[in-house]
Amino acid sequence: MTETLAPARPAATAHEARLAALRNELAARGLDGFVIPISDEHMSEYVGAYAQRLHWLTGFGGSAGSAAVLADKAAMFVDGRYTIQVREQVDGRLFEYQSVPATSATAWLADNTGAGAKIGFDPWLHGKPWADATAAVLKAKGAQLVPVESNPIDAIWADQPAPSPAPALVQSTQLAGQPSEAKRSAVAEWLSAKGLDAAVISALDSVAWLLNIRGADVDRTPVALSFVLAHADGTAELFIAEEKVTPELRAHLGNAVTIRPREMFVPQLQALAGKKVAVDPERTVQAVFAALAGAGASVAELTDPTVLPKAVKNSAEQAGQRASQARDGAAVAKFLHWLSIEAPKGGQDELSAAAQLRAFRDETGVLRDLSFDTISAAGPNGAQCHYKVSEETNRAIDPASVYLVDSGGQYADGTTDITRTVWIATPDGLSEPTAEHKDRFTRVLKGHIALGTALFPKGTVGAQLDTLARMHLWAAGLDYAHGTGHGVGSFLSVHEGPQRIAKPQAGQAGTSTELMPGMILSNEPGYYKEGEYGIRIENLVLVEARDVPGQEGEYFGFENLTWVPIDRTLVDTALLTRDELKWWDEYHARVEALLAPQLQSAALAWLKEACAPLSRG
């Protein structure tokens, strides 16, 4: 595909001024360039408003990407999920568009800098592996990677928001399924077994899980900005802004957890001189490693000991997920019924649909937040697999078109994530999807069924299952440019590791993680035709043990968790096997049984029709 520059847009003037101001600030600091990621001090995927530096500088609103700025040029780096979006949001006159993993900020800097160049980076926003690799590449070119003491963007962002002051909240043991004391004890045993004194826990969802706390500091992710030092004796230190600490939090944590001001985190790291400290290089910023090294601590680069137990949900968390899915499924079904009536009339758009879906979730009375910004994508916007609607991009939902909606809710007992693709009928109800629409949708459906019904032996990793979701698309010379499945938290991050179902990719963790009973993943194959439409079907699934006649060793499969009708209008039944038709009918019978008691009148009638069998005889 030939790359073209994005047209100038109204916001370009502001971003041009910001880019110029950054270059002036870099020059004043004696720097020749600077790298800007989407990140915070905890290496979060979703970050608070104060940390949205890349969006402020460039206009890019995706959740993954970075930019590199030099005195005479700049570039944006995104993967296949954002190929279209970056061109619509970022001015191509200011930033080159670069595709990851074909290239990277590191490779681009190596190609565009020379001997003597000093490239700045914020060590509180980058991980050690990236910093080490980039420093080595630049050194080979005679250039230097320089950590900055303060972020130059913060110096020029006049109205930068302050970090959230919201209080930390207690997650009950009833919902968590295990008290914090038991979790800290397990970490202490892990440390003792490895001859270590302490572990740095810096990922926000890890802190939340370990201490059974939640928060409201990051939109869509219920976490509190904080760090933890966990010690081998079972005690811990929580570093958190004092305004976030409530009497309830103090009582919950008890005497074994010392609460310290957030600004004491680095001094306490420096106090670990001579100690052996575990730090996760994938989840901890370079500045933490530098502080420990400077203090003379011995650092063991090991995976955060909370990551795996957090991913393997206990019985209480599994029960909470089932309850939240049933509740959320009814809200989504009400929305799909509403959409089937209102969209054919015209007058609805992506924003109004997203607002209506939020309203149905709010009607549950227990919604805490969305689990991510709803992807409400009409027609060609659906071809952007991580599209984010705004006032500028808002598109009418036209009759006789394809509409994709990917959404989720945060409830105290679970985190949901579901995608449905539907055909928007005309008022007379006579419009039909094209043969291509049906073919692509049915191939995606076949992949969804193949993955959801997979049986696999203990030791299987996500990369080994990914082909199942793609094989029917591959058979037609088609594919999609995103992973097939991500982990999901328990009233935590909607994107949770370490497990993933995706093509194996160098430098990308998770696809080699063994799938274990209790892990929750998404099952979301898709297809996207640029400029026309997008298709995705997503349910959440739970890894569970399975009995197989004559089996040798342990075998696992998936329990389906998401129960919402799939649009039958887009299905080409001629492409489905007898077993696939049987899956469809059994799935929708379960949907009706679970959701019918929660619906009434017209919505209930719609559900019964949507769940009628596809197979006849």
Side-chain angles (χ1 to χ4, degrees):
M1 181 176 66
T2 302
E3 292 201 358
T4 57
L5 295 183
R9 49 186 62 74
T13 300
H15 293 123
E16 193 166 8
R18 292 169 185 176
L19 182 59
L22 176 59
R23 284 177 166 141
N24 289 338
E25 180 68 20
L26 295 177
R29 297 187 183 204
L31 295 173
D32 301 293
F34 190 67
V35 183
I36 309 97
I38 300 173
S39 187
D40 61 9
E41 300 88 340
H42 309 272
M43 296 196 69
S44 307
E45 176 183 15
Y46 298 111
V47 301
Y50 79 96
Q52 291 281 0
R53 298 176 179 91
L54 185 66
H55 179 263
W56 179 84
L57 179 68
T58 70
F60 178 65
S63 62
S66 62
V69 174
L70 299 175
D72 58 347
K73 62 179 64 177
M76 276 291 307
F77 303 86
V78 297
D79 61 29
R81 295 172 294 174
Y82 300 106
T83 300
I84 301 172
Q85 181 177 340
V86 72
R87 286 161 173 74
E88 294 187 345
Q89 294 180 331
V90 179
D91 192 340
R93 297 178 302 117
L94 306 177
F95 294 87
E96 301 174 10
Y97 306 127
Q98 297 290 330
S99 179
V100 175
T103 188
S104 65
T106 300
W108 185 85
L109 286 168
D111 290 340
N112 289 278
T113 57
K118 293 182 178 180
I119 306 300
F121 81 106
D122 188 337
W124 283 100
L125 301 181
H126 292 270
K128 182 176 182 292
W130 180 90
D132 288 348
T134 303
V137 168
L138 291 178
K139 183 178 180 180
K141 301 287 290 190
Q144 183 180 0
L145 185 67
V146 180
V148 298
E149 292 188 6
S150 63
N151 196 299
I153 290 180
D154 296 351
I156 61 172
W157 189 355
D159 56 350
Q160 182 179 20
S164 162
L169 306 171
V170 174
Q171 179 77 340
S172 71
T173 301
Q174 180 182 2
L175 292 173
Q178 188 181 25
S180 174
E181 295 88 344
K183 297 177 180 181
R184 297 197 309 272
S185 178
V187 171
E189 291 176 9
W190 178 85
L191 288 167
S192 296
K194 294 184 177 298
L196 302 172
D197 299 297
V200 175
I201 309 296
S202 61
L204 294 176
D205 61 339
S206 292
V207 171
W209 180 87
L210 179 64
L211 298 183
N212 286 348
I213 64 174
R214 298 296 188 267
D217 290 342
V218 178
D219 287 346
R220 316 313 189 202
T221 308
V223 292
L225 294 171
S226 53
F227 294 94
V228 161
L229 276 177
H231 298 282
D233 62 1
T235 64
E237 299 171 80
L238 172 65
F239 301 88
I240 188 168
E242 294 178 79
E243 65 266 25
K244 297 180 175 299
V245 180
T246 64
E248 292 78 13
L249 181 69
R250 290 188 184 278
H252 165 70
L253 294 176
N255 295 331
V257 178
T258 302
I259 301 175
R260 301 189 188 279
R262 184 178 168 94
E263 57 267 24
M264 287 297 296
F265 180 54
V266 171
Q268 286 300 108
L269 291 178
Q270 294 168 337
L272 292 173
K275 301 292 186 179
K276 297 178 180 178
V277 185
V279 188
D280 188 336
E282 289 184 20
R283 296 170 178 84
T284 310
V285 294
Q286 165 67 13
V288 170
F289 287 92
L292 289 169
S298 175
V299 174
E301 294 190 11
L302 297 168
T303 299
D304 175 342
T306 72
V307 166
L308 190 56
K310 173 162 53 70
V312 177
K313 306 298 184 285
N314 58 47
S315 58
E317 291 170 322
Q318 292 178 29
Q321 183 63 239
R322 295 185 188 100
S324 63
Q325 288 287 351
R327 181 188 315 120
D328 194 71
V332 176
K334 290 176 182 178
F335 166 75
L336 293 176
H337 166 244
W338 172 87
L339 189 72
S340 72
I341 296 172
E342 298 300 327
K345 300 176 184 177
Q348 298 299 328
D349 56 34
E350 294 167 339
L351 285 173
S352 67
Q356 186 62 56
L357 178 51
R358 172 65 187 255
F360 283 122
R361 284 193 166 106
D362 280 331
E363 285 181 3
T364 66
V366 291
L367 182 73
R368 296 290 188 88
D369 194 359
L370 301 181
S371 57
F372 56 97
D373 291 333
T374 297
I375 300 173
S376 176
N381 285 344
Q384 303 177 47
C385 47
H386 275 212
Y387 170 70
K388 183 175 181 179
V389 61
S390 66
E391 293 288 351
E392 293 72 31
T393 66
N394 187 29
R395 185 181 183 90
I397 301 175
D398 295 324
S401 70
V402 174
Y403 171 71
L404 183 154
V405 57
D406 185 349
S407 68
Q410 290 284 11
Y411 305 91
D413 53 358
T415 300
T416 70
D417 183 2
I418 174 175
T419 307
R420 288 296 181 262
T421 306
V422 297
W423 175 253
I424 304 300
T426 49
D428 59 16
L430 299 178
S431 63
E432 286 285 335
T434 66
E436 179 182 293
H437 287 143
K438 289 188 172 185
D439 176 88
R440 304 307 191 252
F441 184 90
T442 308
R443 290 180 186 277
V444 170
L445 173 64
K446 287 168 74 71
H448 179 88
I449 295 172
L451 179 58
T453 57
L455 187 68
F456 49 93
K458 175 180 171 60
T460 298
V461 303
Q464 292 172 293
L465 298 181
D466 183 71
T467 303
L468 296 174
R470 300 178 190 268
M471 60 183 178
H472 299 288
L473 288 164
W474 285 354
L478 309 170
D479 201 359
Y480 51 93
H482 58 76
T484 300
H486 56 82
V488 177
S490 182
F491 188 39
L492 277 174
S493 176
V494 74
H495 290 164
E496 179 181 270
Q499 72 276 21
R500 294 182 74 246
I501 299 174
K503 296 177 182 178
Q505 184 174 305
Q508 192 166 61
T511 53
S512 59
T513 296
E514 179 181 340
L515 300 183
M516 302 178 184
M519 288 181 169
I520 294 175
L521 298 106
S522 63
N523 172 4
E524 51 179 312
Y527 173 74
Y528 311 91
K529 187 171 184 180
E530 185 174 348
E532 296 194 28
Y533 60 88
I535 292 167
R536 185 161 66 251
I537 302 171
E538 177 186 17
N539 286 357
L540 299 188
V541 295
L542 172 72
V543 182
E544 63 177 2
R546 290 285 174 83
D547 291 326
V548 182
Q551 72 185 58
E552 297 179 358
E554 296 181 64
Y555 271 75
F556 305 144
F558 293 119
E559 173 192 343
N560 189 77
L561 295 173
T562 305
W563 304 101
V564 173
I566 301 170
D567 189 3
R568 62 200 297 116
T569 310
L570 284 160
V571 178
D572 182 351
T573 55
L575 292 179
L576 296 179
T577 66
R578 181 175 298 179
D579 285 343
E580 289 165 342
L581 286 167
K582 182 173 181 287
W583 178 93
W584 176 282
D585 291 347
E586 291 178 348
Y587 174 79
H588 284 86
R590 177 69 187 280
V591 169
E592 183 177 346
L594 192 65
L595 301 190
Q598 303 180 70
L599 304 182
Q600 295 178 337
S601 28
L604 179 58
W606 172 88
L607 177 72
K608 291 181 178 295
E609 183 178 347
C611 292
L614 262 185
S615 56
R616 304 291 180 181

